[in-house]
Amino acid sequence: MRTALVVGTGLIGTSLALALTRRGVTVHLVDQDTDAARTAASLGAGTTEPPGGTVDLAIVAVPPAYVAGTLAALLRADAAHGYLDVASVKGGPRRELEALGTDPERLRRYLGTHPMAGRERSGPLAATAELFEGSPWVLTPARDTDTEVLNQALELVAHCRAVPVVMDGGAHDSAVALVSHMPQLVSTLVAARLEHADDTAVRLCGQGIRDVTRIAGSDPAMWIDILSANPGPVADLLDALGEDLGEAVRVLRLLESAEPARRTEGAQGVERLLRRGNAGRARVPGKHGSTPAAYETIAVLISDRPGELARIFADAGRAGVNVEDVRIEHATGQQAGLVQLSVAPEAASGLAAALRERGWSLRA
């Protein structure tokens, strides 16, 4: 791949353009918002000058509702040898292209893809060439997809240092509804309960509520586009979740009862829900997409001063311990927090002893 055309210079389009330019690909940028295209170009993502001829690959990074129309225009113009889109839904664009009467021979040069990476922020200024590193990048070839286009897609994924995953388009849409679109709405609904909550209650927010509501800070306009393109599967999942919520309400009401038998039934119902959650959480892939591993957690008190985290990691390194994961829980109203280091069980006691020797205060 020597030349590429990126249509749409938001977070995803600009990020992949940055990754391509770093690999020596000449990238041409197009956006209805000319300011966004110029911003992306100023960041080193490519040039706003039009291509001098047919490019090797055209990448459509526009909202899902505009993917088919944009691709149809590019295909009619023979703008590229191969065509990809990076929208978060895959079944719709291909069906719309067929409905628009796109020539089947030209349609063979199109492949729907979806990089499973993003941020709560949007726009070219949020872009980074490292956005996709280590993330799955779904490819949804049809039976008649040109092999050369699939190879171009694999080359793009390699340039972005992502991990290719081949799926059927419909299966992809159901999967992202489960692992991305539904969680976004659930996070949003939980966060919405905080909007008019008492200030005293909000001040008690800890890491749990921060974890659950983190993605609720996402751009509403972007999510309206995404959900509008995949409403059915998301609605089905929320419907099923509503049944689970109804059951949770029922068993919690039983726990309020004065009758021991009803309280016992309520406790058993709550336990069933919690154990189902345990089983589902255990299926979430672990580090590098591997089977989830059981780690020990070392909790270290830390002051909010420059260099403190670096000191902890340096001391763990001196102890010969690899930190598998880390999270920070900030203390309310204090310039301090709790750093939770996840390490292999066999390394936990040695790391705890080493950190104590170096003056760190540990929490049980």
Side-chain angles (χ1 to χ4, degrees):
M1 189 192 309
R2 295 186 299 273
T3 57
L5 172 66
V6 174
V7 182
T9 51
L11 168 66
I12 300 298
T14 304
S15 293
L16 63 86
L18 286 168
L20 288 176
T21 55
R22 283 192 180 183
R23 305 306 188 272
V25 178
T26 299
V27 179
H28 300 270
L29 305 169
V30 176
D31 199 303
Q32 282 192 331
D33 182 347
T34 55
D35 287 339
R38 284 195 291 265
T39 299
S42 72
L43 296 171
T47 175
T48 56
E49 292 296 321
T54 302
V55 297
D56 292 327
L57 183 65
I59 305 161
V60 174
V62 301
Y66 302 101
V67 167
T70 303
L71 280 166
L74 292 171
L75 285 162
R76 284 194 300 270
D78 279 326
H81 296 298
Y83 303 81
L84 308 179
D85 79 275
V86 291
S88 58
V89 291
K90 295 276 67 83
R94 186 172 186 88
R95 288 192 297 269
E96 291 172 31
L97 275 171
E98 292 171 349
L100 288 170
T102 304
D103 175 44
E105 277 304 306
R106 287 180 172 173
L107 195 54
R108 294 181 65 245
R109 294 153 59 195
Y110 159 66
L111 172 61
T113 83
H114 178 203
M116 300 294 292
R119 303 179 67 183
E120 290 79 49
R121 296 169 56 207
S122 59
L125 290 176
T128 169
E130 294 79 24
L131 182 66
F132 311 104
E133 289 191 10
S135 298
W137 193 313
V138 179
L139 311 178
T140 61
R143 288 184 178 180
D144 59 349
T145 299
D146 191 286
T147 302
E148 183 56 35
V149 178
L150 179 57
N151 289 337
Q152 287 179 312
L154 291 169
E155 185 179 356
L156 171 65
V157 172
H159 282 320
C160 293
R161 296 182 179 174
V163 181
V165 178
V166 177
M167 293 182 69
D168 170 76
H172 164 273
D173 291 353
S174 296
V176 294
L178 175 65
V179 303
S180 176
H181 303 168
M182 181 187 67
Q184 174 65 46
L185 283 176
V186 171
S187 176
T188 296
L189 291 171
V190 172
R193 307 308 304 168
L194 299 173
E195 183 180 10
H196 302 296
D198 184 87
D199 287 345
T200 302
V202 174
R203 282 198 294 270
L204 296 178
C205 285
Q207 195 60 41
I209 193 71
R210 290 189 180 96
D211 287 345
V212 171
T213 61
R214 179 182 62 81
I215 57 175
S218 299
D219 178 21
M222 176 185 72
W223 274 99
I224 290 170
D225 288 332
I226 293 171
L227 293 169
S228 296
N230 201 29
V234 180
D236 290 343
L237 287 165
L238 288 176
D239 200 19
L241 182 63
E243 294 180 7
D244 287 342
L245 289 173
E247 174 64 8
V249 170
R250 186 187 74 83
V251 296
L252 288 170
R253 296 299 186 200
L254 289 174
L255 283 175
E256 291 183 310
S257 174
E259 300 177 21
R262 289 172 64 83
R263 288 200 304 273
T264 298
E265 182 185 350
Q268 291 172 342
V270 170
E271 182 180 6
R272 282 195 302 272
L273 290 172
L274 294 172
R275 291 195 181 280
R276 283 179 59 200
N278 291 160
R281 179 66 181 84
R283 296 194 65 195
V284 176
K287 188 176 179 182
H288 308 310
S290 61
T291 302
Y295 298 124
E296 291 284 339
T297 299
I298 305 296
V300 187
L301 290 170
I302 184 173
S303 60
D304 190 9
R305 295 184 306 191
E308 289 293 271
L309 271 176
R311 283 209 307 124
I312 288 181
F313 291 131
D315 287 344
R318 292 188 190 97
V321 175
N322 182 51
V323 176
E324 304 288 348
D325 203 354
V326 62
R327 59 185 292 178
I328 304 173
E329 185 170 346
H330 300 280
T332 302
Q334 298 181 28
Q335 298 299 308
L338 199 64
V339 175
Q340 297 177 337
L341 306 175
S342 297
V343 299
E346 61 272 16
S349 59
L351 177 59
L355 292 176
R356 286 194 181 97
E357 285 178 10
R358 290 174 171 83
W360 294 103
S361 179
L362 273 57
R363 278 263 185 93

